Amino acid sequence: MSRTLEPTLLSLLPTYSKDLPQPLLELASSLLTQSRHNAGALKAEEEVARAYACAHIACERLKITLDLPPIQPRPPVPPRIYKRLYTHLDNVLPQSTLGRASRVRTPSSKIRESGIFGSGGRVPSRGTPSKDEALAKFRSPTTGRGDGTPTKSARKPPPPSKKKGGGPVSALPAWVRPTIQFMCKELDEERIGRTVLAGMQTIAAPHGKQTKDEWVNGHLTALLAGVYFLVSSQLYVLERGKELDDPQYIRIRKGILKVLGQAQANVDVIGMDEDELWIGWADIKSRDVDGAVAKVVENGWQKEEWFAGIKHMVKEPKDAEEVEGEDEEMEDADGRPFSERLHVQRGDTMLQSRWDMTEQKREELRAWKENMMNMISEIERSKTSEMEIDAA
């Protein structure tokens, strides 16, 4: 296995003139074996770069210990696919799984002087600092006390909380909120977006802190699909007044899986790197959604306040005459129904649909198309006439 990885490692370290260190070869081989166990199911375009990514990870993990030269990756797949694959493997391959390479330690002074690791004579020895030197960086030059004790004003304030996609200060991963928006938009269920987000916050980030539930932290994508499924199906039951049958169950689940499969290609957050955005994401299948739904019901998470509020989204049925009368009253001066005007004026909703096609836009498109076709026909006729005159 090491021999097959040697060309890959050499391509990653083109300026390395010595024989490849044995710990590096062993680590790369160990990571490749572990990846087939921990990440056995990869897409076809990702499988091509599996060995390359494992070799790259091995170089990154041992570049300081072995004093390796700069790594110059040239993956055999497009950068976007490779970046996703590298991040996934780096997360699933444990840091401690180093085989024999785990015994590599900082070289002793004797080995360091011999230059085996390329760092001989480059680590100067430092003397033990005195008490004044050790405390100097904690003292304020203007407000320090005479006895050298640092004052409160010299202490550094705590770093600000990191903002993520789950809210202003959220313990949810950055992809959760925009993915919910994308799902609601694609499945035409924008009104349930806030309820789904509230469910994710209640289960995965109660009281603004990350939950200690290991299953939740390890199955966030499946949990999102399960929460969305429960909200959507509950709304369906309340509005239709009947139980959810198997065909409808499968339709809802299939729609959720389809949209989630498109999320990574369509969802992004401005100013955030793609690797950072999709931390905690995992591809899921039908059984994962079923398992997440069962987990939510088993723990009674659907009995909390976020789920009980679904009943307020259900509209009361009205008589046909009353509905018809309301439609007539809500006609605008230009003849547009109120529902069409509301379609582009929903500024208080979580999602915007200003780019959706309406009847008025369709009429305008048809008129524009007809006008353009007439113009094209006139131009063709004029060219035909000119050709006949020239021939005569």
Side-chain angles (χ1 to χ4, degrees):
M1 185 65 69
S2 298
R3 292 184 179 180
T4 62
L5 288 171
E6 284 184 16
T8 304
L9 291 169
L10 290 173
S11 67
L12 287 163
L13 305 170
T15 60
Y16 197 78
S17 57
K18 305 176 183 179
D19 292 337
L20 291 173
Q22 191 63 25
L24 179 61
L25 291 170
E26 293 178 357
L27 176 58
S29 178
S30 174
L31 292 178
L32 181 59
T33 304
Q34 287 290 324
S35 74
R36 300 189 189 283
H37 175 73
N38 297 342
L42 294 179
K43 298 179 181 179
E45 64 269 19
E46 295 175 340
E47 185 64 42
V48 176
R50 181 196 292 269
Y52 193 94
C54 292
H56 189 180
I57 295 172
C59 291
E60 289 289 346
R61 293 185 180 181
L62 291 180
K63 64 181 179 181
I64 296 178
T65 305
L66 301 179
D67 194 20
L68 299 177
I71 303 171
Q72 301 180 22
R74 295 181 180 85
V77 294
R80 182 167 185 173
I81 297 176
Y82 181 71
K83 184 182 294 184
R84 183 173 66 242
L85 171 65
Y86 180 92
T87 304
H88 175 61
L89 292 179
D90 193 32
N91 289 334
V92 301
L93 294 174
Q95 294 286 341
S96 59
T97 307
L98 302 179
R100 295 183 180 180
S102 61
R103 295 195 295 269
V104 177
R105 297 292 184 266
T106 303
S108 64
S109 59
K110 182 177 180 180
I111 299 178
R112 189 186 306 121
E113 291 172 359
S114 66
I116 294 177
F117 293 96
S119 58
R122 291 191 295 175
V123 184
S125 59
R126 296 185 297 175
T128 304
S130 63
K131 178 180 179 181
D132 292 337
E133 292 174 346
L135 296 176
K137 61 181 179 180
F138 297 103
R139 293 172 180 162
S140 173
T142 56
T143 60
R145 298 177 183 176
D147 58 356
T149 305
T151 61
K152 292 183 178 180
S153 61
R155 298 173 185 172
K156 296 182 180 180
S161 299
K162 185 176 181 181
K163 294 184 178 181
K164 291 188 177 182
V169 178
S170 174
L172 290 176
W175 53 265
V176 172
R177 180 186 291 269
T179 301
I180 293 175
Q181 294 175 339
F182 176 72
M183 294 174 68
C184 294
K185 175 70 175 179
E186 293 298 313
L187 298 173
D188 196 23
E189 294 180 315
E190 298 176 9
R191 56 179 170 161
I192 71 173
R194 294 183 179 180
T195 303
V196 175
L197 179 60
M200 290 296 295
Q201 290 174 332
T202 302
I203 299 173
H207 309 294
K209 297 181 180 179
Q210 184 178 2
T211 181
K212 296 181 180 179
D213 191 307
E214 295 182 359
W215 184 92
V216 173
N217 292 328
H219 300 80
L220 287 173
T221 311
L223 177 64
L224 173 58
V227 170
Y228 192 101
F229 176 89
L230 286 172
V231 175
S232 180
S233 58
Q234 177 70 359
L235 191 61
Y236 174 88
V237 170
L238 292 175
E239 289 186 336
R240 302 295 178 91
K242 60 181 181 179
E243 293 298 325
L244 192 69
D245 55 13
D246 290 343
Q248 184 63 22
Y249 181 101
I250 295 174
R251 278 194 293 270
I252 296 177
R253 184 182 63 186
K254 184 177 180 181
I256 293 172
L257 288 171
K258 179 180 178 181
V259 174
L260 284 176
Q262 302 169 353
Q264 287 186 296
N266 293 275
V267 175
D268 58 358
V269 175
I270 299 176
M272 180 171 287
D273 183 72
E274 184 178 359
D275 293 342
E276 182 182 4
L277 172 61
W278 295 106
I279 293 176
W281 174 273
D283 295 333
I284 61 173
K285 298 181 180 180
S286 299
R287 62 175 179 270
D288 299 313
V289 180
D290 297 340
V293 172
K295 190 73 173 180
V296 173
V297 175
E298 176 185 345
N299 288 274
W301 291 327
Q302 84 285 1
K303 297 179 182 179
E304 301 187 27
E305 183 178 357
W306 67 272
F307 194 80
I310 300 176
K311 60 185 178 182
H312 300 299
M313 293 188 288
V314 180
K315 298 179 181 179
E316 295 294 335
K318 298 182 179 180
D319 296 335
E321 296 181 358
E322 183 180 354
V323 174
E324 183 178 356
E326 289 182 0
D327 290 342
E328 293 177 356
E329 292 176 0
M330 289 192 293
E331 289 285 335
D332 198 3
D334 57 359
R336 289 190 303 163
F338 176 75
S339 60
E340 187 170 308
R341 289 185 286 112
L342 182 64
H343 196 66
V344 296
Q345 295 177 356
R346 292 181 296 176
D348 61 335
T349 59
M350 188 175 76
L351 303 169
Q352 293 294 320
S353 304
R354 65 182 64 185
W355 306 116
D356 285 353
M357 186 64 71
T358 62
E359 287 301 325
Q360 181 181 358
K361 291 180 180 180
R362 290 190 179 93
E363 291 294 337
E364 293 175 355
L365 178 61
R366 281 192 287 266
W368 174 85
K369 182 178 179 180
E370 184 178 356
N371 185 34
M372 292 300 296
M373 295 302 294
N374 291 335
M375 292 175 60
I376 293 172
S377 299
E378 291 178 3
I379 293 173
E380 290 179 347
R381 283 196 299 270
S382 63
K383 288 185 177 180
T384 303
S385 301
E386 292 177 0
M387 291 175 64
E388 292 177 353
I389 294 173
D390 292 343

